[in-house]
Amino acid sequence: MLVSEFLDTLSGYDIAGAYWVNLKLTAFAAVLALVLGTALAMMRISPVTSLRWAGTTYVNVVRNMPLTIIMASMILVLWPQLGLTLADDFATNFFRLAVIALAVYHASFVCESIRSGVNTVPVGQAEAARAIGLAFLPAARLVILPQAFRGAIAPLGNTLIALIKNSTVAAAASVPEISVLMREMVENDANFVVPIFLTIAVGFVIIVVPVGVLTTYLSRRLAVSR
Amino acid sequence: MSAQAVLFDTPGPKGRRNIAIGNIVGTVIVLGVLAWALVQMGSKGQFDPAKWAVMVDPETWQFYFLPGLQNTLTAAAYAIVLAMVFGLLFGVGRLASNSVIRGFCGLVVEFFRAVPVLIMMIAGWFSAALLLNIPPEDAPLFGVVAGLTLYNGSVIAELVRSGVHGLPKGQREASLAIGMTRGQSLRSVELPQALIAMLPSLISQFVVILKDTALGYIITYPELLRSARLVGSDAPFPILQAMAVAAVLFIVINFLLSWAAGRLARRFGGRSSGSGKPAPRVGITTGLAGTADTRDETGGN
């Protein structure tokens, strides 16, 4: 029976383990990207021209560069050529380099999401903050950013979904995640390519759809009513 | 941009002085980071003239970069055309009055948007030779184009749908009033305007397609990134330099595309009653409640 044969094939691989690697990549990269992206967004809305310029340049350069190049550069250039080593054993080192590549890339999208959140804050809020004597940093911290984050949940959620899917690109940094496993599976059992694809694709649907539902719910629930 | 200007007052003398100080500090930090990076590169011998000489050698371009660029552009061109076809087909399908067609198209579109492009590329790559009798040397190209078409076609289908939904209701009502059928109204009144309104988002999506051809590197398609790697794998191993050239090429092409998008949007902006902004969408995986454009949403993948 073909179905049971296929299920036998599946049971020979650690699919859940491979997905777990993707989720770990996503979690670490998401935190780093959020920190870096928020800092970039602050730079881009600050009154200091040089910081604004640096933030804009970063976003424009990184957004127009393929993630695959950043990922490949990590293990072809940064590690062997420039000697950036983040851990003693190979696997951990590659994993950390992949996390950094994902964070560096998605930080530019986080920055743009937060900026679009800042744009949902009415002018009157900033004017009121200035009127009561708040300088740029206190106004940003106390008035603008709290509202901006709530307005940015939907685009941030989309960035998170993109990050989950893009964690497969870590294959270019030799991290043994799900796309590497899938390649191994179809190489060994090429006649099952379609069912293997559907199995792994459905796994992503199961991960991605709840994230989408949750962020949509949160963005409505936490929206600042005006 | 408008919101940025109001976050702070027009600075007075003291504010200007603070900004000047901030500027100096900021510049010093940025330049400091750059200088540190350059010193690090220098200490690892990355400024060895021999490594950079390879980048300006005409033969490097003739045998590596230009063929790689050509393969990248070929894959992108196929994918753009096919994704447009796919997107129009399924976008119109999602607007159909028949609920079975609408539901089916919706399911297909949401499914392919939730699956990573790389997974689809690997599937396409292996099924090409096995199921579709495509010669093995063409299998990587097929994989790249198949993955890009399915994913970006689905995104374009959403753009088409939201573009049509974003038109004023009066457009359809007027065409129905002069005796057109719903199909005629869609084809000759609504779609043309929706396409113009969605032009900026559409071209952003083309940038995504072009960037994502680099994923072909993982499935052995000989595109620009792979050529760069080949350039860097021979003595004097100028891999950093080759990667930099590839990155700059990608950035320049994408900048030109984005710039063209801005021009086109301004040029044609008056010819549509749509706003050019996608209407809020209700798809599950999109989770869009607000203002994100497609670039935000895909993260460029």
Side-chain angles (χ1 to χ4, degrees):
Chain A
M1 190 52 201
L2 216 54
V3 175
S4 61
E5 205 180 306
F6 173 61
L7 291 177
D8 273 353
T9 314
L10 279 192
S11 63
Y13 298 96
D14 186 12
I15 296 180
Y19 270 118
W20 181 235
V21 175
N22 284 77
L23 291 181
K24 278 195 295 187
L25 281 168
T26 306
F28 288 122
V31 174
L32 277 181
L34 190 63
V35 173
L36 190 55
T38 311
L40 283 168
M42 292 288 292
M43 285 164 72
R44 288 199 71 176
I45 62 174
S46 81
V48 180
T49 344
S50 63
L51 292 182
R52 219 156 55 208
W53 183 85
T56 311
T57 310
Y58 179 96
V59 169
N60 280 337
V61 167
V62 171
R63 278 217 318 187
N64 284 301
M65 207 193 292
L67 172 59
T68 324
I69 284 202
I70 303 178
M71 194 63 87
S73 300
M74 281 288 164
I75 70 153
L76 294 178
V77 178
L78 242 61
W79 170 57
Q81 299 272 321
L82 299 180
L84 181 71
T85 312
L86 298 173
D88 287 334
D89 72 305
F90 280 98
T92 321
N93 190 31
F94 287 167
F95 179 86
R96 289 183 183 167
L97 287 171
V99 166
I100 288 181
L102 286 170
V104 163
Y105 181 75
H106 289 89
S108 65
F109 295 91
V110 170
C111 169
E112 291 307 274
S113 304
I114 292 176
R115 243 163 43 95
S116 82
V118 170
N119 283 332
T120 65
V121 181
V123 180
Q125 296 286 327
E127 287 171 346
R130 292 208 308 266
I132 60 169
L134 292 178
F136 171 74
L137 277 178
R141 188 169 58 84
L142 297 169
V143 180
I144 309 293
L145 279 185
Q147 298 183 63
F149 267 112
R150 288 166 70 172
I153 289 175
L156 281 176
N158 289 329
T159 308
L160 179 61
I161 289 174
L163 174 57
I164 294 173
K165 295 194 289 174
N166 281 339
S167 64
T168 52
V169 183
S174 313
V175 176
E177 44 72 63
I178 192 73
S179 75
V180 173
L181 184 73
M182 174 181 174
R183 185 168 164 176
E184 192 188 320
M185 286 165 81
V186 287
E187 268 167 5
N188 294 340
D189 300 277
N191 47 331
F192 283 135
V193 57
V194 173
I196 288 173
F197 164 67
L198 287 176
T199 309
I200 288 171
V202 166
F204 270 100
V205 173
I206 292 172
I207 298 172
V208 161
V209 168
V211 175
V213 171
L214 187 71
T215 52
T216 307
Y217 168 76
L218 282 178
S219 71
R220 297 218 174 107
R221 176 77 198 274
L222 296 177
V224 183
S225 53
R226 299 197 166 94
Chain B
M1 293 305 249
S2 57
Q4 292 168 36
V6 303
L7 288 181
F8 42 86
D9 261 321
T10 311
K14 202 176 156 193
R16 273 204 298 275
R17 199 189 62 217
N18 285 343
I19 290 176
I21 294 171
N23 257 331
I24 292 167
V25 173
T27 314
V28 166
I29 293 175
V30 171
L31 289 182
V33 170
L34 282 180
W36 178 80
L38 290 179
V39 167
Q40 287 297 314
M41 281 166 64
S43 71
K44 307 284 179 192
Q46 293 300 335
F47 295 114
D48 180 358
K51 290 196 174 198
W52 290 94
V54 179
M55 295 308 117
V56 290
D57 183 353
E59 288 198 351
T60 313
W61 286 81
Q62 189 190 344
F63 295 114
Y64 294 99
F65 286 129
L66 290 181
L69 191 60
Q70 193 195 349
N71 283 335
T72 289
L73 294 177
T74 309
Y78 277 125
I80 285 175
V81 172
L82 291 173
M84 278 301 289
V85 174
F86 184 99
L88 280 175
L89 227 63
F90 280 83
V92 170
R94 293 201 75 174
L95 296 163
S97 43
N98 182 327
S99 62
V100 177
I101 297 179
R102 209 167 54 224
F104 171 74
C105 292
L107 202 67
V108 169
V109 166
E110 293 295 344
F111 176 76
F112 285 124
R113 271 155 50 97
V115 180
V117 181
L118 182 58
I119 297 290
M120 295 192 259
M121 282 189 182
I122 296 175
W125 177 33
F126 274 90
S127 40
L130 196 76
L131 307 173
L132 303 166
N133 271 328
I134 288 169
E137 66 271 20
D138 287 339
L141 173 62
F142 178 82
V144 171
V145 173
L148 290 177
T149 300
L150 292 177
Y151 174 71
N152 295 287
S154 302
V155 176
I156 291 173
E158 279 298 298
L159 286 178
V160 169
R161 190 175 73 116
S162 62
V164 169
H165 277 312
L167 294 175
K169 257 200 304 203
Q171 295 291 326
R172 170 186 288 186
E173 288 167 356
S175 32
L176 295 182
I178 59 169
M180 286 183 172
T181 64
R182 274 191 71 175
Q184 281 174 327
S185 156
L186 196 63
R187 275 195 305 277
S188 33
V189 177
E190 294 170 67
L191 268 184
Q193 296 190 66
L195 283 175
I196 289 175
M198 67 193 238
L199 211 54
S201 326
L202 201 59
I203 297 188
S204 308
Q205 205 55 42
F206 294 166
V207 171
V208 172
I209 292 182
L210 197 82
K211 277 202 309 179
D212 281 2
T213 53
L215 287 170
Y217 165 79
I218 300 172
I219 65 163
T220 72
Y221 180 59
E223 45 70 70
L224 189 51
L225 180 51
R226 189 154 280 276
S227 336
R229 192 184 170 163
L230 286 177
V231 171
S233 60
D234 261 332
F237 304 107
I239 181 75
L240 181 145
Q241 292 74 4
M243 285 289 185
V245 169
V248 167
L249 283 174
F250 267 110
I251 292 169
V252 166
I253 297 172
N254 286 333
F255 246 93
L256 288 177
L257 260 177
S258 309
W259 176 78
R263 287 286 303 256
L264 278 172
R266 272 196 299 281
R267 173 120 163 61
F268 289 111
R271 293 204 192 167
S272 166
S273 54
S275 62
K277 284 237 162 81
R281 290 179 244 170
V282 286
I284 300 171
T285 52
T286 59
L288 256 198
T291 49
D293 64 19
T294 30
R295 293 284 295 278
D296 289 330
E297 185 186 321
T298 55
N301 196 294

